[in-house]
Amino acid sequence: MTHRCTGTHPRAPRTGVHGSSGALEMIHTEILRPVDFERCSSQLDLIAAGLGDLSALEPAERANALVVYLERRMRLRRRLDRDPQSLMLDRVVADRAGHAYALAIVYAAVGARCGLSPYPVLAGRALLVADRTDESTVLIDPVPGGRPPRGKPAWACPHVVARFLLGAI
């Protein structure tokens, strides 16, 4: 079966399947709520503006500047729960906390705005961000403090990243 991504979710029914209208309402308002992409994008723009253009730096220096800014100055942190909100980018940017996969997307989005060439990389089940140039590739772990490497790093297609996001909840 082929699914087409429309960027919107159908409204959950307000009345009950087995009397669970409250649960369905919660799912609709909290989990299937629309993401404010324009607001999220403008917030990412503001974060990137605070960091500035890093394109003139060496790849390792760019990566270090990104990590220091997002981890220390912006205080991005990892959430360890399985709350679906920890994957919603607008919520992650506003709360400065989210699932490790969502943090990787924030790092890539800010990095791209600051002159990095970010690509998703999987090392085991860890989603990393690679800054790739003609001469070298630098891996960035978006989890504050980093994690020991597990598995051989490999480039990840966006649909694989989406599958990991969906599997995280």
Side-chain angles (χ1 to χ4, degrees), residues 132-151:
R132 186 169 84 175
T133 65
D134 291 336
E135 297 82 34
S136 66
T137 299
V138 177
L139 295 178
I140 302 167
D141 188 345
V143 172
R147 297 169 283 187
R150 296 177 190 237

Side-chain angles (χ1 to χ4, degrees), residues 118-136:
Y119 292 90
V121 171
L122 287 171
R125 293 196 52 85
L127 181 60
L128 308 174
V129 177
D131 181 21
R132 186 169 84 175
T133 65
D134 291 336
E135 297 82 34
S136 66

